[in-house]
Amino acid sequence: LSSPREQTKMPVKLAINGAGGRMGRRLLALAAADPEVDLVQAIEYAEHPLQGKLVREIEPEADSDVPLTNQLMPGADAVIDFSSPAGTTVIAKRAQELGIALVIGTTAKDFEWRAEIKKSSSTVPMIHAQNFSLGVNLMFKFSAMMAKALGDDFDIEIVEGHHHHKVDAPSGTGMGIADAICTGIGRDVEKDLVYGREGQVGKRTKKEIGVHALRMGSEIGLHTVYYASEFERLEFTHRASSRDVFAAGAIRASKWINGKAPGYYEMSDVLGL
């Protein structure tokens, strides 16, 4: 007989909120194909046109007969949420009631909303990530290191680009980069960020960091940090070539967080950064 240590770990029982969206469908496909995942629930808001459909009808790559429903129910170990701020608020409270771990990828430039969502981590384990890719999480880390090393003689500007269907700006990843840089060099994320420029804005201040959003075509995710002095310029860029990088990262996070103690965790914890 094999020892407990040698026995295969039980698959994580996974629910996906926002299952009918672009990210949700990729999560369904990857979760259904993963032997370490048991896809047990797919969730969307009550009026969603796909309500009642089977997962395989929503996403042909997902071999699953789980039906789309409108509420998180008992039985899941973790729920991955890629929905909307309002949808995340509902799912976070419901997960807290049921004792289900939360992996949240919904983003918004709303500091009060993020603080409110974070409260659920008092009773369940939670990861609320600006981005789930390894490359972007390395970008968070190294963009701050570069800003600190270059010093105040370099102006910093952040440009993010996404497809024309994206409804929020700037992106969560753009804000994650800005937050990492501000933390690294002692800037105030609420006072020193400038979102675009128009009209007679005056001379650029030493402390300001520009944040700009592009919305174009089918762009999945493009983020560049510019560091420029009087004499040289550095450009640090990450470009996603598939949404699967985010879906795979979120699924990896759901496996990692399963069984963890209540608390607020970072994607850097999952990746060991």
Side-chain angles (χ1 to χ4, degrees):
L1 292 174
S2 61
S3 68
R5 184 175 294 181
E6 293 171 330
Q7 291 175 4
T8 303
K9 189 176 181 180
M10 293 293 289
V12 59
K13 294 179 181 178
L14 185 62
I16 295 172
N17 188 46
R22 289 178 182 81
M23 274 301 305
R25 293 196 297 271
R26 295 317 303 155
L27 284 162
L28 293 176
L30 269 62
D34 192 328
E36 296 179 355
V37 172
D38 181 8
L39 180 62
V40 295
Q41 295 179 51
I43 308 160
E44 269 291 359
Y45 59 90
E47 298 80 17
H48 196 281
L50 295 175
Q51 273 298 342
K53 297 282 189 181
L54 301 181
V55 162
R56 69 172 72 253
E57 297 174 299
I58 299 167
E59 173 49 63
E61 289 185 36
D63 184 15
S64 171
D65 289 327
V66 169
L68 191 67
T69 59
N70 64 7
Q71 187 177 36
L72 180 64
M73 299 299 290
D77 298 317
V79 56
I80 298 176
D81 168 79
F82 276 85
S83 58
S84 66
T88 301
T89 300
V90 171
I91 209 75
K93 290 178 180 177
R94 180 65 173 165
Q96 193 174 8
E97 291 171 3
L98 298 175
I100 295 172
L102 280 157
V103 176
I104 300 173
T106 304
T107 60
K109 191 181 77 66
D110 185 332
F111 299 106
E112 291 183 4
W113 171 75
R114 288 187 65 86
E116 187 65 29
I117 294 300
K118 190 175 181 178
K119 289 179 182 178
S120 293
S121 66
S122 63
T123 55
V124 295
M126 171 194 288
I127 295 171
H128 192 177
Q130 304 281 32
N131 195 293
F132 286 96
S133 92
L134 173 59
V136 165
N137 279 274
L138 286 170
M139 190 175 193
F140 291 156
K141 182 174 183 176
F142 290 121
S143 61
M145 290 173 64
M146 290 169 68
K148 190 172 183 179
L150 293 169
D152 291 340
D153 288 337
F154 282 75
D155 299 327
I156 301 172
E157 299 281 313
I158 300 165
V159 179
E160 59 93 349
H162 286 85
H163 54 87
H164 54 220
H165 298 288
K166 188 169 177 62
V167 297
D168 63 308
S171 67
T173 302
M175 288 303 298
I177 294 167
D179 184 59
I181 291 173
C182 286
T183 300
I185 61 176
R187 304 281 172 88
D188 190 320
V189 74
E190 295 193 44
K191 295 179 181 178
D192 293 329
L193 300 184
V194 176
Y195 301 100
R197 297 182 180 87
E198 182 181 11
Q200 299 297 314
V201 297
K203 183 181 176 182
R204 191 188 201 283
T205 67
K206 274 284 187 183
K207 284 194 169 184
E208 75 180 60
I209 297 173
V211 183
H212 313 275
L214 310 177
R215 295 294 175 264
M216 51 190 181
S218 58
E219 184 68 59
I220 293 171
L222 171 65
H223 297 84
T224 298
V225 186
Y226 295 89
Y227 306 85
S229 73
E230 295 284 352
F231 311 109
E232 60 182 331
R233 184 176 79 198
L234 286 81
E235 299 177 13
F236 186 16
T237 295
H238 177 276
R239 170 170 265 146
S241 55
S242 169
R243 285 187 179 84
D244 285 7
V245 70
F246 311 126
I251 290 172
R252 179 175 177 176
S254 72
K255 297 175 190 177
W256 182 90
I257 206 169
N258 184 25
K260 291 287 190 293
Y264 190 82
Y265 299 93
E266 304 282 352
M267 196 60 190
S268 57
D269 298 320
V270 179
L271 299 171
L273 300 178

